Amino acid sequence: MTVLWRAVRSVPPWVLATITGVLALCLPFLNLDYAVGRQIQLGLILALIVSGIGLSLGYAGQLALGQAAMYAAGAYSAGVLAIRGVTDVLVQLLVSGTAALLIGLLTGVIGLRLGAWSLAMTSFFLVLMIPDVLDVFESTTGGRTGLSGIPPGTVFGSVLTPRDFFLLIVVVSLLWFAVVRNIVTSRHGVAFQVLKESEVLAASTGVSVFRMKLIGYAVGAIPAGLAGTLFANLDLFLAPTSFGLHLATSTLAAAVLGGMVSVYGPLVGALLVQLATWQAADFQEWALVVYGAFLILGGVVFGGGIAGLVRRGIRALDRRFLPEPVTDDTGGSAAGVPPLPGEELVVDGVSKAFGGNQVLTGVTLRAAPGRVTALIGPNGSGKTTLLNLVSGFYTVDDGRLRLGEVELTGLPAHQVARRGVSRTFQTPLVPPVISVRETVAAGRYSADRVSIIGALLRGPRHRAVSRRDREQVRDLLDLVGLARVADAEASSLPLGQRRLLEVARAIASRPKVLLLDEAASGLDEQEVAVLARLLGQVRDAGCAVVLVEHNFGLVLSTADEIHVLARGRLIASGPPAAIEADDRVRNEYLGIADEASVGGVA
Amino acid sequence: MTLLYSGLSLGAVYALVALGYNLVYLSSRAFNFAQAQLVMVAAFVAYTALVVFRLPWVVAALLAMAVLMVVAVIEERIALRLVTDHHTILITTLGFATLLDGAAERIWGSEALDVPFPGPEGAWSLLGGRLHTVDLALVLLAVLLVVGAHWYRRRFLSGIAIIGMSQDREAATLRGIDVRKLALITFAVSGALAGLMGAFVGPKTFALTTLGASMALKGFVALAIGGFGSLYGGLLGGFTVGIVEQVSARYLGAEFSHISVFAVLMLVLLVRPRGVFGRVRERVV
């Protein structure tokens, strides 16, 4: 059994996909029963729509209910083109895909301004408007009575037979699923996962949250447009009733059923929904109830859909039959930190208030490259707020932030990150599902860029960057002693290892300044030692390190310069020895003051 | 004037849906997709009570409130309680809305049903325009409920607790507020209110299964205009949507009523995404 499973697992995933694809290409030549063939074609068309929902909701985390509208736009643009004499299906596909993308971009840009709900509602509204829009252009679209008299599609001038057309549907579907696969298995797929888990984290790795959501949503509209063209050419008749709320909910239910965070899950979900609609005579009457139940169940019980169940099954079999690699304690290795030329971080007279609560008042400090600058102070003294201001998560009320000669004041978080400011968080932000290796690779998103198109076409740049990703991630994992767990799910690691993982991710972005927010809290002694050594290495590599820390021992042993904050003001700055001897610091922070907490967990 | 009246009374329907959204939003920071469906179901319940069982109107309204309270509590139990993140709640409440759509269609069919309303038949004149009793009643109900909700929220401790909960669940729990119980109560109240609304909305719009989606969307536009969490904003937003819809249907044609409202939504999101009364809140890491 073990041998068998190991053999199964050693088959790369693309082999299975290729076999399925080849089988699918044979379907049109099997002389299937007309009804069966038609259901398969409708199922594939549905799968295209559902796959777009998967991209938008599963990866970009945006609930898009407008897929039915993009589908209608694609279908009608193809139908109208055909009636006007452009019967070439390839041209129609191009036009409908573009039309859907444009609608997606337009509604996305506006809908995303108010967050998830407003995008869901804006896109849902599109579906409600379909019959009205068709009515307004009744002379071209046929309004409520429908658009009839669509001439059959051609490719390069020759009319497609039903078999040719079946083949065309299969080819379009295969190509689209290949596109999805290439996008989601690239670093952009990981970036989507990161984004969905935490927008803060995504921004701190240099991902523009707005742009990424928009891309997921708008690209997710394309397959719906393509599906529209295919549907128009399959039935040669279009009516507004084909594109209603019923379609919107059935596609969403299919996405939830199949599993959205998956390339092929939507295909499975769509085929099952199509099968149910066809086979169960009563299904139409109960369809809405069933879809509704699916959506609730999908949200509450089986979040990953069928794809999630399969993934869980594989993991269970892995645990059963494949020996677990022995995890080493966080030993770390001799691998060095690559040179990280730093820049001086300048915080100049920064103030910040939340409502009437003045959190920081005129804080001025510098963090020089090649040095560890520690920031200490009691809880609530404004340390984390200062880091958040530097990272661009808050805007300063007064004062300025600079990195070398580069102005950081007022930049959004992802821009700050792209200029070389990297950080870890008080509570480690580690998205679920992705592996330790991918987590570190996520840090390289902005340091070594590849466009989505590049990733999609698997161009030379994508290959080169992927190779560098692999090499550098391996080195970094060696460095923090997590190489043995590289393929484990990142969120399953214990707290100490997650903190080290965050540090590795932060270093992966090749920062000029590294901000560490209580990196040592929750670490055991050995892990603190690893961290201390790591900080030393990063400093020696030339990076400016800013350490917010409660572990006074660690601060004294690693910091070159210490700044003490109390109630939003700097009360002391200087080398460790001076700070340790400072009376005010002893009172405010170390000594007898009520609010003091030394070495505690915040 | 007649146009203004019909716009206001239709707007009151959307304002009521927006009020439902707001109550749930203020108490649990969640968006209840099924709010409009609750009102839709209530209209059907009122129809059954009034036409099938021939109950007096007040009893029918009370019955609708009771039934919808139960439905809303069921919704809280199956679609919200077990789900923690807001993204998923959007999907599960949409699921519940779809389920209600489907169930209502199975029970009451897809024909529009005429829900009777007490008071004189026919329209009467006011300030040079004509309106029905139900139009006036709807506007009054919307205004009264919004003012009442606002007053209650300021006046009572549980109102303050709701504000506290919506700002920070954990902190509210630590202060001894039973967050779960409060969320359940909010749902029960919003369900009962939906029941009451249905008894008023049904006579205006007829009881119709496809109404849920359109009410949900227009209610949302009302909310977007007014700003999330702003009770008075939702009321004014509702009236705005109603008037825009009626005016565009009258002067541009019926097919433009949805399109115009959509255009308003786009405009609001472009110019003032926080709504007219919404407050900007800085993101916290």
Side-chain angles (χ1 to χ4, degrees), chain A residues 144-235:
Chain A
R144 274 159 219 261
T145 46
L147 184 66
S148 50
I150 301 172
T154 58
V155 168
F156 301 129
S158 54
V159 176
L160 294 171
T161 63
R163 174 177 292 172
D164 296 340
F165 189 67
F166 194 162
L167 190 62
L168 183 74
I169 291 184
V170 173
V171 170
V172 171
S173 308
L174 287 181
L175 286 177
W176 171 256
F177 278 101
V179 165
V180 176
R181 180 206 163 261
N182 280 1
I183 292 179
V184 305
T185 54
S186 75
R187 51 174 34 205
H188 297 286
V190 175
F192 274 130
Q193 294 285 321
V194 171
L195 170 80
K196 217 172 84 174
E197 173 61 15
S198 164
E199 294 182 6
V200 168
L201 174 57
S204 81
T205 57
V207 172
S208 163
V209 171
F210 178 81
R211 193 161 166 264
M212 204 69 190
K213 284 180 178 173
L214 182 62
I215 288 174
Y217 170 73
V219 172
I222 296 176
L226 302 180
T229 289
L230 297 176
F231 180 67
N233 282 287
L234 180 68
D235 274 12

Side-chain angles (χ1 to χ4, degrees), chain A residues 61 113-114 122 132 285 394, chain B residues 87 258 266 269-270 273 283:
Chain A
R113 286 176 66 98
L114 198 57
T122 310
D132 297 323
E285 292 174 9
Y394 301 143
Chain B
H87 262 294
H258 287 334
M266 295 278 103
L269 291 181
L270 262 181
R283 192 164 52 150

Side-chain angles (χ1 to χ4, degrees), chain A residues 295-309:
Chain A
L295 294 185
I296 298 175
L297 280 176
V300 176
V301 200
F302 70 138
I306 292 174
L309 291 179

Side-chain angles (χ1 to χ4, degrees), chain A residues 312-323:
Chain A
R312 239 180 285 167
I314 290 176
R315 208 168 290 144
L317 285 169
D318 275 352
R319 263 199 303 276
R320 176 104 195 255
F321 296 117
L322 301 183

Side-chain angles (χ1 to χ4, degrees), chain B residues 109-135:
Chain B
S110 49
E111 297 293 310
L113 302 174
D114 191 358
V115 184
F117 194 74
E121 290 282 319
W124 34 282
S125 301
L126 182 75
L127 298 173
R130 299 189 63 74
L131 76 164
H132 292 263
T133 322
V134 66
D135 294 331

Side-chain angles (χ1 to χ4, degrees), chain A residues 38-405:
Chain A
R38 179 175 161 80
Q39 292 304 324
I40 293 177
Q41 297 180 49
L42 287 175
L44 287 175
I45 290 175
L46 194 67
L48 283 172
I49 308 175
V50 177
S51 163
I53 294 181
L55 209 52
S56 176
L57 180 56
Y59 285 93
Q62 301 307 307
L63 177 55
L65 298 167
Q67 235 69 17
M70 322 291 186
Y71 180 48
Y76 273 92
S77 53
V80 170
L81 276 177
I83 287 178
R84 300 275 159 94
V86 186
T87 50
D88 195 305
V89 182
L90 300 181
V91 177
Q92 291 174 4
L93 283 171
L94 190 68
V95 172
S96 60
T98 313
L101 179 65
L102 286 179
I103 296 178
L105 282 174
L106 193 68
T107 52
V109 165
I110 300 175
L112 276 169
R113 286 176 66 98
L114 198 57
W117 306 333
S118 87
L119 185 67
M121 281 303 193
T122 310
S123 57
F124 196 32
F125 215 135
L126 292 177
V127 182
L128 190 76
M129 287 196 307
I130 296 171
D132 297 323
V133 174
L134 293 176
D135 258 3
V136 172
F137 300 103
E138 193 176 353
S139 53
T140 6
T141 62
R144 274 159 219 261
T145 46
L147 184 66
S148 50
I150 301 172
T154 58
V155 168
F156 301 129
S158 54
V159 176
L160 294 171
T161 63
R163 174 177 292 172
D164 296 340
F165 189 67
F166 194 162
L167 190 62
L168 183 74
I169 291 184
V170 173
V171 170
V172 171
S173 308
L174 287 181
L175 286 177
W176 171 256
F177 278 101
V179 165
V180 176
R181 180 206 163 261
N182 280 1
I183 292 179
V184 305
T185 54
S186 75
R187 51 174 34 205
H188 297 286
V190 175
F192 274 130
Q193 294 285 321
V194 171
L195 170 80
K196 217 172 84 174
E197 173 61 15
S198 164
E199 294 182 6
V200 168
L201 174 57
S204 81
T205 57
V207 172
S208 163
V209 171
F210 178 81
R211 193 161 166 264
M212 204 69 190
K213 284 180 178 173
L214 182 62
I215 288 174
Y217 170 73
V219 172
I222 296 176
L226 302 180
T229 289
L230 297 176
F231 180 67
N233 282 287
L234 180 68
D235 274 12
L236 301 178
F237 171 74
L238 298 171
T241 45
S242 308
F243 310 98
L245 295 176
H246 193 275
L247 179 73
T249 40
S250 71
T251 45
L252 190 60
V256 169
L257 175 67
M260 289 173 295
V261 193
S262 147
V263 180
Y264 307 107
L267 176 67
V268 176
L271 291 177
L272 284 176
V273 165
Q274 188 64 37
L275 183 72
T277 322
W278 178 41
Q279 283 294 324
D282 298 338
F283 187 75
Q284 279 305 324
E285 292 174 9
W286 290 100
L288 285 180
V289 178
V290 174
Y291 296 152
F294 264 141
L295 294 185
I296 298 175
L297 280 176
V300 176
V301 200
F302 70 138
I306 292 174
L309 291 179
V310 170
R311 210 170 282 145
R312 239 180 285 167
I314 290 176
R315 208 168 290 144
L317 285 169
D318 275 352
R319 263 199 303 276
R320 176 104 195 255
F321 296 117
L322 301 183
E324 188 90 1
V326 188
T327 48
D328 194 7
D329 276 330
T330 44
S333 79
V337 174
L340 297 167
E343 287 276 6
E344 187 180 43
L345 175 70
V346 182
V347 176
D348 187 8
V350 162
S351 298
K352 179 69 186 173
F354 294 109
N357 184 10
Q358 190 70 33
V359 183
L360 289 173
T361 316
V363 173
T364 298
L365 56 86
R366 285 160 183 268
R371 290 171 73 82
V372 175
T373 308
L375 192 58
I376 60 172
N379 288 331
S381 58
K383 305 181 298 290
T384 298
T385 303
L386 185 60
L387 289 197
N388 287 341
L389 285 168
V390 173
S391 313
F393 291 120
Y394 301 143
T395 47
V396 294
D397 293 342
D398 197 21
R400 294 163 56 130
L401 300 161
R402 274 202 328 273
L403 181 62
E405 295 304 309

